[in-house]
Amino acid sequence: MNFLLRFLTCIVFFINSFIVFSQNISNTDDQKTTNREVVQKIESKFGVVIYYEQRWLDNNTINFVPETAATVEEALNFFTARTNLNFIKVQENSYALVPKEVLKNILEQRDTLLNENDNLIVIGNINSYIKGKKIELNGIVKNGQNGEPVIGATIYIKSLKLGVVSDSKGVYTISLNPGKYTLNVSSLGFEENIIPIKIISSGELNIELFEKSIKLDEVVVLAQSADRNVNRSQMGIVEIDKKILKQIPPVMGERDIIKSFTMMPGVKSTGEFGTGISVRGGGNDQNLFLLENTPIYNTSHVFGLISALTPDVVENVTMYKGFIPAEYGERVSSVIDIQLKNGNNKKFKTYGGIGILNNRLSFEGPLYKDKVTFIAGGRSSYSNWMLTKIPDEELANSQANFYDLILGLNASVTPNNRVSAFFYNSYDFFNYNKTIEYSNKNTSGEIKWTYYKNSSLYFTFIGNYTNNTVIKNDFEIPSEKSTKEISITSIGIKSECNYAPGGKHAIKAGIQANEYLSEPGRLKPYNSQSFSLPKNVNLKKGLELAAYVSDNYQLNDKISINLGLRYTQYMNIGSDTVYNYNGRLIEGNTSGLTPTIYSNNQVIATYQNLEPRLSLKYQFNTSTSTKISYNKNSQYLSMISASAVPTPDDFWQIATNYIKPVQTTTYAIGLYKNFLNNSIETSIEGYSRELNNLIEIKNGAKLYVNEHIETELLTATGKTYGVELYLKKNSGSVNGWISYTFSRSLKKTSGKLPDEKINNNSYYPSNFDKPHDLNLMLSYNYNRRLRFSFNFSYSTGRAVTLPDKIYKSGDNWLVSYKYRNNERLPDYHRLDFSISFDESLKIKKRWKGSWTLSVINVYARKNAYSMYFKKEVPSKDNNYREFGLYKLYIIGIPFPTLTYNFTF
Amino acid sequence: MSCKEIYNDYEVKLDQNYYVINGAIYETPGPYMISVRKVLPYTNNVNSLMDTLDNVKDAEVRIKSDKGENVLLTEISPGVYKTRKHDIKGEIGHKYSLYVKTNDGDEYESAFVEIKKAPEIASIDAKIEKRPVLQTDRYGEQYVEEKEGLNFSILSNSSLTSGNVKIDTRIIVETIHSEGESTVFCWFQLKDEVPNVKVLNSVSTSDLKELPAMFLIPVPNLPATKTRSIKITYGYIVEVKTYFIDSVQYKYYSEVKEQLQAKNKIFDPVPTQIKGNMRCISKPEKEVYGNFNAASVSVKQSFFSWVPGLVNVYKKDMLKTVVIPEADCKRNLAPKFWQKKN
């Protein structure tokens, strides 16, 4: 009965647009009774409402009033028997008149949907069936082997030429008419799953894909759908997962998630093997590294030799380098979103690797039935045997070791509630020639609750914590041994709502709060014998509040738009002491300055920014599209560093009343064209970015443990622009990509006093200016398991400041630097090569091992990492020079590594 | 693997002449010396510049005081200018300035610097310590070795409550040799390689602060020559001078110290232009380097004798400051400054 009622309701809705209420009709004729009058009389007599379309009644005229009918049904039967209409009861006291032909069609269609009994998967409830109304099919595409969501899977309906792509959680939504369809679900590296369905009303269909044995002629390097570069509405997105990683020659025996980005257009390493990356000319500190939703401040081990996260626990990494969606803030250049695996919900799996620098081990599996899964991984370095082999006295006298650990849990508490959490810890220790000792510790954690209201609406609530502490022990001057501690802590909460109605919209809205606690430096004597004086810079506190909303709207087959707005309010809060410099600080003398003391949590300075985000795609056809984007971003946290490459002395400086937040406006345009059935991708993207309130350091600035750091800093504006070309071959035995970027990154100060001017206030190259950048990645699959990979990189040397004058002052020779970034390091180029023998393709084989032999820097290029001026004791090593300009290179020889990776 | 190498592919040309002007006036009697040299375009091979120092001749050099003194210095060698002994003498509580006019017509002047009383030195002490020290072997290869040595320090005895102090340490190493029937007394000097500057906070007589002076590794016995036998190192005369300096001077010396120590070795340095207190008054935008200081000096000398391996250091305070000439030797007769152990 319930079904019938709903069914009839649907019919009413179906004819809703044509129907009029009979009560509203007042047209009467004394001479003859019209059908309308008959219906009105029935309504009046029996106290019911009858729905109909006017034109249906106009074609029938009878002169009969059913005065004798005892019931409404009897009256309607009598009436309809003399017309081509039929009636149906919608609900109590309401009926509808429908032409007999129309009703017959509806009933036949219903019966068809109800009675077919083939192999179709039936989705939806017949009680919810409404003819002609668009309904939604949604669900999650998962890896059948481990239950992990499959990102970027294509769900395609050939008959409609309609397709959608699963998102970062594997979720897809597609809008359809009720009916029968065949879903072709595919993702690279997985067997295609063809699913015939019969969809009656909105419903859910979770799909599993299984990894396939790769045939030689089907080798594809991207896990995402091959035409995604053309289809998706956003631009400037780079995605890297384990399938891409496999193609790239590993460094130090390990495939590196973060460094892999530097082979993509617009992304450059700031120093060979350095941890920092520059995205479209931005600084190291302008990239937000998110582990799930938690910011990570130290992303590498051993000054950037390898990334600080074991790759086995990572599902995928996405970089937003152009258009940054509104849900992301905090940084102005890029967001690197690292998604962890959920953990295999089918069986326990173990991954490991034995390399020359470290070994690693990871586990994943179900903990409780199908509800709770875990992932755990860790790495640890060997003893510093490698350093002892280096033919450099100082490095041979050095020590380095590290480890990292991660534990993640995922629990489906109820079908609608999912809770996940992770804990991450990394540690680095480095002792340089027994004169300087660094330790770097990172601790992070997150808990996330996701509530699925229904298939198109879910909410997430996140709390996270991260801390990075660097301790430096300086033994260089034995009588002044000191310990310096620098730390940054971030505590955040976030709530987000995701709503995807009708398959055309993907709406996100959320609120977010982050508290930053920055300790720029605490200096104390290393021991009681040390003459070093204790110095302490007050803890700096900032609170960033944000609210955002965005909609990814598929306007039609050709146009889609991603529109977002982010509002941020930032407060620098106490307790702290703020000095009024009356213009400027004179020669380090702070006496006579009037300090203002702020109590705990008292607001010192407030800033707010409105950050619109827009990305628009116009798709010419299935293989060609063009996109434009516009972004405004702000950043309330900047790294203070004297160097282009990150150093352990660097510290995070929050925005204060003197140091304003960095603001950027970015425009970008791109053209995307695929060839040969998406087997070849090409793109060209151009961008221009304006930057305000950039931090620049004065000449000779005393940056470290300085309570008056603002007096050592300048405000600069900047501009970056560039063009990025990209060509990628996705399939075949030979595949890979080539990218070329031309870009500039320039800065300019506008100070009035001599020491407030850098290069006379004219534009000069920033530390990250490398105009030409070329990357070639080539992979040749000899057979299903044997692969040869080559990677060649070239870039202009980065800008550096070198001394231009030398003079003798007293007994000492001194140098002077005049123009900032007046010179460049020599051009950088390097060729890497690897041979990989992949694991067995036999699905039933439990232990699977793979070997990779790689040679980094094949032709022994001594690429400069940094350049520095140094006074030395004359010796054979320095050609008996007392002073010298030195070039430091990290690897000046072909460096072979052999790695064994395993899984069981 | 990781390594460093001299970078030679870099050449600079300067667009004009820049000068470096250095000198000082003290509370102690003159003469005082001022040097005027040209700044050179940077070259990686500094050693090659040693012979090509571009000293500035025929400059007009004057020291002025707030008492109205205006003394012209005489050029005694190219680029080196000297006061006459009684022309001018620094006095505590008075301010002094340096004026230079080069022969291209440009004029330079320092800020006025006030002479303040230098912190007195109560004593010089030495402790035996072990430290890692960079050594060079006979093949010129460098290595680090932990060596035992003497850590000299001073105790300040000033009524100074806060301020900046510069400490100059000089050690005269005495050695004795035999040459035939003769005994030869030799000596040479060790000096601070970098300026030793400190900030003092609340130092008083009741709160003496130990200030590091110098760490000395015992000089190895000198090798025998054809005519001279090996003789042991005899002792060390440690001379410490302290100067009270103002914040501008402190900033200057600490920048010099920082550059010479070249911290953050493997990373880009903070670009610096070490600016002393000299300014070009005829062309304010023109850069000038160097520094003029005015200070009082506190001097203390002590004699130490120690043989590596022994746990005791013999010390004798020198009651009167002696003038010690540059390195030399004297046959049979010990020089006047020569100290004995008892």
Side-chain angles (χ1 to χ4, degrees):
Chain A
M1 190 60 200
N2 187 38
F3 154 67
L4 191 59
L5 189 63
R6 284 168 181 264
F7 177 65
L8 293 175
T9 306
C10 291
I11 293 171
V12 169
F13 286 147
F14 167 69
I15 58 176
N16 187 41
S17 58
F18 309 107
I19 280 256
V20 293
F21 285 101
S22 60
Q23 287 95 322
N24 295 336
I25 300 166
S26 56
N27 181 21
T28 56
D29 187 332
D30 291 335
Q31 302 305 314
K32 56 180 183 181
T33 305
T34 64
N35 284 348
R36 191 176 304 151
E37 288 170 328
V38 172
V39 172
Q40 284 174 342
K41 283 180 179 173
I42 295 171
E43 285 178 328
S44 172
K45 182 176 179 181
F46 298 105
V48 297
V49 178
I50 299 170
Y51 302 95
Y52 58 89
E53 188 181 350
Q54 185 59 54
R55 62 187 168 90
W56 295 340
L57 295 189
D58 290 346
N59 296 333
N60 300 277
T61 303
I62 57 170
N63 294 314
F64 178 77
V65 180
E67 296 288 350
T68 56
T71 63
V72 63
E73 281 85 4
E74 190 179 336
L76 287 172
N77 269 327
F78 191 86
F79 171 72
T80 54
R82 286 155 179 80
T83 67
N84 61 352
L85 299 175
N86 212 333
F87 78 92
I88 48 179
K89 186 175 181 178
V90 177
Q91 54 184 306
E92 203 59 41
N93 298 328
S94 62
Y95 294 83
L97 294 173
V98 185
K100 286 172 181 167
E101 273 304 306
V102 173
L103 187 60
K104 186 183 169 193
N105 287 342
I106 292 170
L107 293 173
E108 279 176 0
Q109 204 166 21
R110 183 201 67 174
D111 291 343
T112 304
L113 288 169
L114 283 172
N115 298 333
E116 279 180 356
N117 190 27
D118 48 24
N119 291 326
L120 298 179
I121 295 172
V122 179
I123 297 159
N125 189 332
I126 196 69
N127 294 344
S128 305
Y129 172 75
I130 303 170
K131 179 176 168 49
K133 187 185 178 187
K134 285 270 186 183
I135 54 179
E136 278 177 29
L137 171 67
N138 50 49
I140 301 172
V141 184
K142 292 181 177 177
N143 183 328
Q145 266 109 1
N146 57 24
E148 290 283 339
V150 177
I151 300 159
T154 303
I155 300 93
Y156 187 69
I157 299 170
K158 201 176 281 183
S159 59
L160 301 178
K161 293 181 178 173
L162 177 67
V164 293
V165 174
S166 61
D167 68 10
S168 61
K169 293 179 176 58
V171 174
Y172 73 94
T173 303
I174 190 165
S175 187
L176 300 166
N177 285 318
K180 288 200 300 180
Y181 302 100
T182 300
L183 304 182
N184 291 58
V185 186
S186 63
S187 183
L188 295 175
F190 291 90
E191 297 284 358
E192 187 179 25
N193 193 350
I194 299 170
I195 309 168
I197 61 165
K198 182 165 64 182
I199 183 161
I200 301 165
S201 66
S202 291
E204 187 176 301
L205 175 65
N206 292 331
I207 302 165
E208 287 191 335
L209 294 179
F210 291 86
E211 290 179 16
K212 65 180 175 183
S213 302
I214 301 169
K215 293 177 189 173
L216 191 57
D217 58 354
E218 289 176 353
V219 170
V220 182
V221 294
L222 288 185
Q224 65 192 42
S225 102
D227 59 353
R228 208 171 166 200
N229 63 323
V230 172
N231 283 338
R232 69 175 153 221
S233 59
Q234 299 101 328
M235 61 187 300
I237 294 180
V238 186
E239 287 170 304
I240 286 185
D241 69 0
K242 57 188 177 185
K243 293 182 180 61
I244 294 180
L245 277 179
K246 262 190 165 181
Q247 306 296 111
I248 299 170
V251 177
M252 300 295 161
E254 198 158 284
R255 292 189 166 86
D256 198 295
I257 298 160
I258 294 169
K259 288 190 196 318
S260 308
F261 282 109
T262 61
M263 293 174 195
M264 300 297 173
V267 187
K268 299 166 189 178
S269 173
T270 52
E272 189 174 42
F273 301 107
T275 179
I277 57 170
S278 168
V279 179
R280 291 187 165 173
N284 287 316
D285 62 340
Q286 293 174 358
N287 308 307
L288 177 65
F289 287 89
L290 287 176
L291 183 56
E292 292 284 311
N293 298 279
T294 304
I296 301 295
Y297 291 94
N298 175 38
T299 56
S300 76
H301 289 304
V302 203
F303 298 118
L305 214 52
I306 56 170
S307 297
L309 190 65
T310 181
D312 296 326
V313 300
V314 175
E315 180 61 31
N316 80 313
V317 189
T318 306
M319 171 184 277
Y320 299 90
K321 63 172 182 170
F323 172 74
I324 299 178
E327 66 261 34
Y328 298 111
E330 302 170 56
R331 303 290 186 278
V332 294
S333 264
S334 76
V335 174
I336 296 95
D337 189 357
I338 304 166
Q339 294 290 317
L340 295 172
K341 288 178 178 175
N342 285 339
N344 196 317
N345 65 359
K346 311 268 182 187
K347 58 183 178 183
F348 286 97
K349 295 274 284 180
T350 303
Y351 308 89
I354 300 164
I356 58 157
L357 192 65
N358 63 283
N359 52 30
R360 63 182 205 279
L361 202 58
S362 300
F363 309 92
E364 63 172 317
L367 275 184
Y368 178 70
K369 293 180 179 174
D370 237 5
K371 289 183 179 294
V372 184
T373 59
F374 81 99
I375 178 99
R379 283 186 304 185
S380 174
S381 63
Y382 303 130
S383 61
N384 48 301
W385 68 271
M386 230 166 71
L387 285 170
T388 61
K389 305 294 177 201
I390 298 172
D392 181 284
E393 204 67 45
E394 291 175 359
L395 284 171
N397 260 318
S398 303
Q399 287 178 294
N401 55 64
F402 65 83
Y403 71 79
D404 60 72
L405 292 167
I406 189 160
L407 174 66
L409 287 172
N410 271 278
S412 296
V413 181
T414 69
N416 287 346
N417 288 280
R418 188 184 181 101
V419 176
S420 62
F422 79 82
F423 170 78
Y424 169 71
N425 182 251
S426 76
Y427 178 78
D428 261 87
F429 174 81
F430 185 73
N431 181 310
Y432 181 73
N433 195 28
K434 296 178 182 167
T435 53
I436 294 179
E437 204 171 78
Y438 295 103
S439 68
N440 190 326
K441 189 175 180 184
N442 203 100
T443 307
S444 303
E446 176 180 304
I447 185 158
K448 181 168 81 172
W449 168 39
T450 306
Y451 168 63
Y452 297 91
K453 171 76 176 164
N454 55 47
S455 55
S456 59
L457 178 64
Y458 67 91
F459 302 88
T460 52
F461 306 92
I462 298 158
N464 58 41
Y465 167 90
T466 192
N467 168 270
N468 179 239
T469 301
V470 178
I471 295 175
K472 174 185 172 184
N473 295 325
D474 191 341
F475 308 137
E476 196 154 18
I477 305 170
S479 61
E480 297 179 31
K481 289 180 181 174
S482 63
T483 295
K484 185 173 74 175
E485 185 173 324
I486 298 169
S487 75
I488 176 77
T489 302
S490 167
I491 303 162
I493 51 170
K494 182 178 178 179
S495 173
E496 186 177 274
C497 165
N498 283 263
Y499 182 48
K504 288 197 166 186
H505 290 271
I507 298 167
K508 287 186 180 186
I511 52 173
Q512 193 176 357
N514 281 315
E515 185 178 30
Y516 306 115
L517 307 167
S518 171
E519 286 203 84
R522 270 191 314 211
L523 186 75
K524 58 183 182 183
Y526 181 75
N527 54 28
S528 57
Q529 283 80 45
S530 172
F531 179 72
S532 173
L533 293 171
K535 270 175 96 178
N536 193 12
V537 180
N538 288 342
L539 173 76
K540 307 291 176 191
K541 282 167 45 175
L543 181 64
E544 182 179 350
L545 306 173
Y548 59 86
V549 61
S550 69
D551 184 12
N552 193 11
Y553 177 45
Q554 181 79 37
L555 194 64
N556 54 42
D557 290 345
K558 291 187 178 299
I559 299 172
S560 67
I561 184 169
N562 191 310
L563 189 61
L565 186 64
R566 184 179 179 89
Y567 168 75
T568 55
Q569 185 174 41
Y570 170 86
M571 285 161 282
N572 171 210
I573 53 178
S575 55
D576 203 359
T577 303
V578 177
Y579 291 89
N580 181 0
Y581 300 108
N582 296 322
R584 65 191 303 242
L585 184 71
I586 313 277
E587 305 294 1
N589 186 357
T590 58
S591 60
L593 297 180
T594 49
T596 306
I597 296 167
Y598 290 87
S599 59
N600 193 28
N601 294 333
Q602 188 179 355
V603 176
I604 300 168
T606 302
Y607 299 100
Q608 48 190 341
N609 281 293
L610 205 54
E611 304 170 20
R613 318 276 172 93
L614 167 72
S615 182
L616 182 69
K617 177 199 78 175
Y618 181 81
Q619 190 153 347
F620 298 102
N621 51 50
T622 54
S623 65
T624 313
S625 69
T626 184
K627 301 172 193 177
I628 57 169
S629 74
Y630 167 80
N631 266 33
K632 278 192 91 145
N633 299 66
S634 54
Q635 178 171 335
Y636 301 97
L637 200 61
S638 295
M639 179 71 87
I640 305 295
S641 175
S643 172
V645 293
T647 77
D649 284 314
D650 301 344
F651 62 91
W652 288 93
Q653 173 67 47
I654 63 167
T656 65
N657 53 337
Y658 288 109
I659 300 168
K660 294 185 167 46
V662 179
Q663 294 166 317
T664 62
T665 307
T666 309
Y667 307 87
I669 185 166
L671 181 66
Y672 308 84
K673 173 74 180 169
N674 292 355
F675 299 94
L676 303 175
N677 198 23
N678 293 321
S679 64
I680 292 179
E681 281 180 33
T682 63
S683 68
I684 176 169
E685 285 189 11
Y687 66 91
S688 170
R689 177 178 293 156
E690 295 157 11
L691 303 98
N692 285 308
N693 302 330
L694 288 172
I695 288 176
E696 184 55 279
I697 58 171
K698 288 182 179 176
N699 286 328
K702 302 282 181 292
L703 297 176
Y704 308 115
V705 200
N706 186 345
E707 195 184 355
H708 304 280
I709 184 68
E710 52 270 12
T711 65
E712 305 287 346
L713 305 175
L714 300 170
T715 301
T717 55
K719 60 181 177 184
T720 67
Y721 53 88
V723 178
E724 298 164 359
L725 306 173
Y726 188 49
L727 185 148
K728 181 167 61 178
K729 185 171 182 289
N730 285 326
S731 59
S733 57
V734 177
N735 55 61
W737 66 86
I738 182 169
S739 70
Y740 167 75
T741 304
F742 171 78
S743 63
R744 295 306 310 268
S745 172
L746 306 170
K747 289 172 95 173
K748 185 167 108 62
T749 56
S750 53
K752 293 193 172 83
L753 298 167
D755 65 346
E756 293 174 349
K757 295 177 185 176
I758 303 291
N759 295 9
N760 296 323
N761 285 346
S762 52
Y763 273 108
Y764 59 94
S766 80
N767 288 342
F768 311 99
D769 184 51
K770 293 181 180 177
H772 301 283
D773 185 62
L774 177 76
N775 277 289
L776 173 65
M777 166 64 217
L778 209 60
S779 188
Y780 170 59
N781 296 272
Y782 179 73
N783 61 31
R784 293 185 184 191
R785 296 181 66 186
L786 186 61
R787 185 176 56 250
F788 301 87
S789 297
F790 302 84
N791 179 63
F792 175 75
S793 304
Y794 166 85
S795 70
T796 316
R798 70 177 164 85
V800 288
T801 308
L802 297 183
D804 66 337
K805 301 183 192 78
I806 185 161
Y807 58 92
K808 196 165 191 187
S809 181
D811 292 333
N812 299 309
W813 283 97
L814 300 173
V815 295
S816 181
Y817 301 76
K818 185 175 182 185
Y819 291 109
R820 187 70 57 91
N821 289 341
N822 56 338
E823 290 292 328
R824 289 189 179 277
L825 294 181
D827 286 354
Y828 173 94
H829 48 92
R830 196 180 89 193
L831 176 68
D832 300 340
F833 166 70
S834 72
I835 305 172
S836 299
F837 190 67
D838 286 347
E839 62 269 16
S840 167
L841 301 174
K842 291 176 184 171
I843 292 171
K844 288 184 178 174
K845 191 170 181 180
R846 187 161 172 77
W847 179 283
K848 292 183 177 181
S850 67
W851 290 94
T852 301
L853 170 69
S854 68
V855 181
I856 302 299
N857 198 18
V858 171
Y859 56 86
R861 167 88 174 163
K862 293 176 180 176
N863 284 304
Y865 177 81
S866 68
M867 201 93 82
Y868 57 95
F869 172 80
K870 189 179 177 185
K871 181 174 190 279
E872 284 200 325
V873 177
S875 71
K876 184 184 171 187
D877 291 345
N878 55 29
N879 200 19
Y880 302 97
R881 291 169 210 252
E882 195 176 355
F883 295 84
L885 188 62
Y886 286 89
K887 177 181 88 172
L888 179 83
Y889 53 91
I890 304 294
I891 292 185
I893 55 169
F895 190 79
T897 58
L898 182 65
T899 312
Y900 179 68
N901 295 308
F902 58 87
T903 176
F904 61 89
Chain B
M1 280 297 289
S2 169
C3 220
K4 61 180 187 294
E5 64 181 22
I6 287 276
Y7 184 65
N8 287 314
D9 192 17
Y10 178 54
E11 197 177 318
V12 175
K13 285 180 183 171
L14 296 181
D15 54 352
Q16 59 175 309
N17 285 332
Y18 297 97
Y19 299 104
V20 52
I21 302 167
N22 278 297
I25 180 170
Y26 301 109
E27 187 203 2
T28 50
Y32 310 115
M33 312 287 270
I34 303 294
S35 68
V36 184
R37 297 182 181 124
K38 274 188 187 172
V39 169
L40 302 167
Y42 181 83
T43 169
N44 205 16
N45 191 358
V46 179
N47 297 26
S48 68
L49 299 177
M50 300 293 184
D51 303 325
T52 61
L53 266 183
D54 210 348
N55 296 314
V56 179
K57 301 174 190 171
D58 305 327
E60 179 187 338
V61 180
R62 292 174 180 277
I63 293 177
K64 300 175 182 177
S65 76
D66 60 356
K67 293 193 296 180
E69 293 162 301
N70 188 338
V71 175
L72 179 67
L73 280 72
T74 310
E75 186 172 3
I76 56 165
S77 62
V80 181
Y81 301 82
K82 190 173 97 169
T83 59
R84 285 182 295 188
K85 193 167 184 180
H86 302 294
D87 275 355
I88 191 166
K89 178 178 170 294
E91 288 180 37
I92 291 171
H94 288 281
K95 295 178 180 175
Y96 298 86
S97 160
L98 176 66
Y99 168 88
V100 175
K101 184 177 182 182
T102 51
N103 56 12
D104 58 7
D106 286 340
E107 294 175 277
Y108 304 87
E109 198 168 62
S110 76
F112 273 92
V113 185
E114 184 181 345
I115 296 182
K116 290 186 177 175
K117 186 170 170 47
E120 289 175 11
I121 301 164
S123 69
I124 303 173
D125 288 318
K127 287 177 189 165
I128 302 165
E129 281 185 9
K130 278 188 176 177
R131 290 185 183 178
V133 177
L134 196 65
Q135 300 279 288
T136 306
D137 65 17
R138 60 187 175 140
Y139 304 108
E141 299 284 350
Q142 289 189 335
Y143 62 97
V144 175
E145 186 182 358
E146 194 161 69
K147 299 279 282 185
E148 200 173 39
L150 291 177
N151 181 24
F152 295 105
S153 60
I154 60 172
L155 283 177
S156 166
N157 192 20
S158 170
S159 56
L160 184 74
T161 53
S162 65
N164 312 298
V165 62
K166 179 170 179 283
I167 305 162
D168 285 351
T169 308
R170 184 169 69 130
I171 299 178
I172 292 87
V173 183
E174 300 175 339
T175 61
I176 302 175
H177 310 260
S178 63
E179 198 174 289
E181 295 298 313
S182 307
T183 302
V184 181
F185 299 88
C186 296
W187 66 96
F188 62 91
Q189 297 186 12
L190 300 170
K191 286 182 182 174
D192 287 315
E193 287 188 357
V194 297
N196 186 1
V197 286
K198 299 289 165 205
V199 177
L200 302 182
N201 289 313
S202 303
V203 173
S204 68
T205 48
S206 60
D207 180 23
L208 291 178
K209 187 73 183 178
E210 187 178 291
L211 304 174
M214 188 186 275
F215 181 73
L216 176 87
I217 315 157
V219 176
N221 292 330
L222 299 177
T225 64
K226 282 181 182 175
T227 57
R228 193 169 290 177
S229 70
I230 300 171
K231 201 77 175 178
I232 60 162
T233 304
Y234 184 76
Y236 312 95
I237 297 172
V238 180
E239 178 186 271
V240 178
K241 292 180 179 177
T242 56
Y243 308 84
F244 182 89
I245 52 175
D246 63 20
S247 58
V248 178
Q249 302 291 321
Y250 175 79
K251 185 169 182 283
Y252 171 76
Y253 287 118
S254 10
E255 283 176 357
V256 172
K257 179 182 177 182
E258 194 161 334
Q259 186 176 104
L260 293 174
Q261 286 179 339
K263 287 191 172 180
N264 296 320
K265 284 174 189 166
I266 61 171
F267 303 110
D268 303 357
V270 177
T272 52
Q273 291 169 301
I274 300 172
K275 295 277 178 65
N277 56 1
M278 297 301 300
R279 299 287 177 266
C280 181
I281 52 175
S282 55
K283 294 177 185 167
E285 290 296 317
K286 187 174 179 183
E287 293 166 18
V288 56
Y289 300 87
N291 184 59
F292 173 70
N293 193 14
S296 71
V297 190
S298 177
V299 188
K300 178 99 181 162
Q301 290 175 337
S302 294
F303 173 76
F304 296 87
S305 181
W306 173 66
V307 177
L310 297 184
V311 293
N312 292 321
V313 181
Y314 173 80
K315 177 192 167 187
K316 183 171 79 174
D317 281 338
M318 296 167 71
L319 299 175
K320 189 180 171 188
T321 305
V322 294
V323 177
I324 304 169
E326 294 295 317
D328 204 349
C329 292
K330 284 208 166 193
R331 191 179 295 270
N332 293 329
L333 186 64
K336 284 185 182 176
F337 64 83
W338 201 265
Q339 301 298 306
K340 293 179 182 175
K341 284 188 182 176
N342 44 36

